[in-house]
Amino acid sequence: MTTLQTPQPGHWPVDPQQDVPISKDRIWVDGCFDFAHHGHAGAMLQARRLGKELVVGIHSDEDILENKGPTVMNLNERVAAVNACRWSTKSVPHAPYVTCLPWISHYGCHFVVHGDDITSDSSGEDCYRYVKAADRFLVVKRTPGISTTDLVGRMLLCTKNHFIKSLTRMMSGDEGSGNPEERKMVGEEMRQRIKDYATDDTGLQHGPSVFSWAGTEHDGFNQNIVEGRAPQPRQRIVYVDGGFDLFSSGHIEFLRQVVQAEEAIVRKSCQDEDNEKVFHPAYVVVGVHDDEVINHWKGINYPIMNIFERGLCVLQCRYVNSVVFGAPFTPSKFYLTNLPYGKPNVVYHGPTSFIPLTYDPYTAARNLGIYQELGGHDFQNVNAGEIVQRILKSREMYEARQRAKGEKATTEEAVREREVMEREAADREKERAGSY
């Protein structure tokens, strides 16, 4: 389908096929959405707050290549990420790179929302010129400090200056760069962003609860960051954990399958009890590991996203009810029984692990009889390592994209160093696997 043309009924990428009445409460936002980073989520959150429904247009791989450069994630992976965002109502793949009135009007959207940066097509013209001329364009603030370009740069240059040693100390202004006043301001902004992302699907009311684990796997307590919605009576508590680096379709599909598995259990329970109790899906608590923990196991400059960035990615996901920052790598019996809402009914783990293990970190969960593994899925191999390899294999194209975005060109020496480090890490993983 040529996205410059207006599709006829029966040929729109997603239903409805007939035009929807236009409403100012229905907002359109579009983009590439390459990587599910929190900047994209922040744009969708701000757009969602301007209306009651949010329709998200997603450009095709071909249109992005022509106008901007290669994508890291393919269209199916990018659609999965958008669908998982709590504030997205509907996703529309193959949306035109130059936003046009027939498309937004067909899906019943009056306003188009975009960040305060300029987006141009391959001819150098404003991608939003048509909706601006029709006075149907609204501007929201771009999320600072994060972009696909930033993340690609971290991968190519092996930088570590994005790491955070202690999230709670950074939010209190006791850690970070700058003078005390600047650190305090940064900390307050970080705390506010967490609060903003810990909202429901309207973006206006309380949503997920947020905690930070203070201590080790054998001794510690949960510090409350955001008081969100607690589990309802008899609602099953589910715990999962991980690094969630470069939060991708692999992580998202795992979380979706967790919710799906729990929904099946609860529905069966409702049928067996033959009553009319209200159906509630499981309450999913997600533990996110510190930067230091991930770097200990993976080396190089993993994680590519720091704990704040990874936590926000998890927090915006519609399959998540609570987030615990700084979760220990090994969820011990002490830790599991001292989770914010008590010992979980089940601890889920996915079919593969990006972090090579020399021991089983889920021994306690197994001994408690609450450990369960989920089967494979179409995105199970999409993780941080796979994404970095995609960048390295096509580094010349991504370097050109970096230069086009005004970034400093990556040197061949830096790229070669990254490739050597990746090979050495792969060799260590094989050695660990052989000794496990």
Side-chain angles (χ1 to χ4, degrees):
M1 175 174 54
T2 302
T3 56
L4 294 177
Q5 298 176 347
T6 303
Q8 295 299 310
H11 295 279
W12 289 95
V14 294
D15 290 338
Q17 295 300 313
Q18 300 299 322
D19 290 350
V20 176
I22 296 174
S23 170
K24 289 186 178 180
D25 285 330
R26 193 175 296 114
I27 306 296
W28 175 281
V29 62
D30 57 23
C32 304
F33 301 103
D34 205 9
F35 292 145
H37 62 65
H38 72 87
H40 293 150
M44 285 190 270
L45 170 59
Q46 292 181 80
R48 178 66 179 83
R49 285 173 167 174
L50 297 174
K52 296 180 179 178
E53 295 180 51
L54 180 63
V55 180
V56 184
I58 308 165
H59 309 318
S60 69
D61 299 340
E62 296 77 13
D63 277 2
I64 298 171
L65 179 62
E66 178 184 346
N67 289 278
K68 185 177 182 179
T71 60
V72 181
M73 316 302 291
N74 64 43
L75 181 60
N76 288 339
E77 293 164 348
R78 293 184 286 115
V79 169
V82 169
N83 286 339
C85 180
R86 182 176 290 109
W87 307 297
S88 168
T89 306
K90 177 190 288 291
S91 64
V92 180
H94 298 284
Y97 200 83
V98 176
T99 308
C100 54
L101 295 171
W103 276 71
I104 66 170
S105 296
H106 170 77
Y107 287 103
C109 303
H110 181 83
F111 287 116
V112 174
V113 170
H114 189 66
D116 53 9
D117 54 328
I118 298 174
T119 303
S120 303
D121 62 15
S122 57
S123 301
E125 295 187 86
D126 189 342
C127 289
Y128 296 96
R129 55 189 182 272
Y130 299 123
V131 292
K132 286 180 178 179
D135 198 25
R136 293 170 65 176
F137 185 75
L138 298 176
V139 177
V140 295
K141 187 177 180 181
R142 182 180 181 277
T143 304
I146 189 72
S147 70
T148 301
T149 305
D150 295 331
L151 296 174
V152 170
R154 292 178 191 177
M155 295 180 216
L156 293 175
L157 291 171
C158 300
T159 56
K160 290 185 179 181
N161 54 7
H162 58 284
F163 284 11
I164 292 175
K165 186 175 181 180
S166 169
L167 180 61
T168 53
R169 285 181 55 79
M170 193 158 187
M171 288 193 298
S172 63
D174 296 323
E175 183 181 310
S177 59
N179 60 44
E181 190 172 310
E182 291 171 335
R183 290 197 302 270
K184 182 179 179 181
M185 184 179 299
V186 169
E188 290 174 350
E189 290 174 352
M190 292 173 70
R191 188 176 292 275
Q192 183 59 51
R193 187 156 296 141
I194 290 174
K195 290 181 179 179
D196 288 340
Y197 283 46
T199 51
D200 66 359
D201 57 3
T202 71
L204 301 171
Q205 304 297 325
H206 291 301
S209 297
V210 184
F211 302 87
S212 177
W213 178 254
T216 67
E217 63 192 74
H218 300 298
D219 182 34
F221 60 94
N222 282 291
Q223 297 174 312
N224 185 272
I225 297 177
V226 178
E227 189 72 46
R229 294 179 178 175
Q232 299 184 35
R234 300 185 66 184
Q235 192 171 17
R236 280 170 59 87
I237 308 298
V238 171
Y239 181 73
V240 302
D241 63 7
F244 300 100
D245 194 15
L246 296 176
F247 192 70
S248 66
S249 53
H251 304 121
I252 290 165
E253 182 59 18
F254 164 66
L255 292 169
R256 191 190 71 82
Q257 287 196 355
V258 165
V259 172
Q260 191 175 48
E262 285 296 306
E263 286 178 346
I265 292 172
V266 176
R267 282 197 179 96
K268 186 177 186 306
S269 174
C270 291
Q271 292 172 356
D272 291 345
E273 295 179 18
D274 192 26
N275 59 32
E276 298 180 357
K277 72 177 182 180
V278 178
F279 170 74
H280 297 298
Y283 190 93
V284 180
V285 180
V286 181
V288 183
H289 304 317
D290 281 327
D291 297 345
E292 183 180 4
V293 169
I294 297 174
N295 189 252
H296 168 77
W297 286 99
K298 285 303 301 178
I300 313 180
N301 71 329
Y302 291 107
I304 306 301
M305 287 179 172
N306 63 44
I307 188 171
F308 175 68
E309 296 162 345
R310 292 181 285 112
L312 289 179
C313 288
V314 173
L315 193 55
Q316 60 85 40
C317 182
R318 67 172 71 248
Y319 309 122
V320 174
N321 302 98
S322 180
V323 172
V324 179
F325 285 94
F329 186 73
T330 301
S332 64
K333 180 179 179 180
F334 175 85
Y335 172 75
L336 290 173
T337 54
N338 284 277
L339 280 169
Y341 305 108
K343 187 184 78 172
N345 296 92
V346 60
V347 174
Y348 282 104
H349 188 58
T352 59
S353 175
F354 175 46
I355 297 179
L357 303 177
T358 56
Y359 70 100
D360 181 5
Y362 298 101
T363 299
R366 292 181 192 273
N367 292 339
L368 289 168
I370 59 174
Y371 179 79
Q372 188 168 334
E373 289 188 3
L374 291 178
H377 53 77
D378 292 342
F379 300 120
Q380 68 183 48
N381 294 319
V382 184
N383 53 41
E386 161 66 18
I387 294 169
V388 168
Q389 289 305 314
R390 292 182 188 184
I391 295 290
L392 294 178
K393 287 178 182 177
S394 303
R395 66 177 184 268
E396 291 182 1
M397 288 191 296
Y398 290 113
E399 286 172 344
R401 172 172 163 169
Q402 299 295 91
R403 288 192 293 271
K405 295 286 288 185
E407 299 292 315
K408 182 180 179 181
T410 305
T411 65
E412 285 296 321
E413 182 179 356
V415 175
R416 283 196 296 270
E417 181 182 354
R418 173 91 209 193
E419 290 175 333
V420 169
M421 293 169 77
E422 287 284 350
R423 285 195 296 270
E424 291 175 346
D427 290 341
R428 285 195 297 272
E429 289 178 19
K430 290 178 182 178
E431 291 176 3
R432 285 169 174 167
S435 61
Y436 178 43

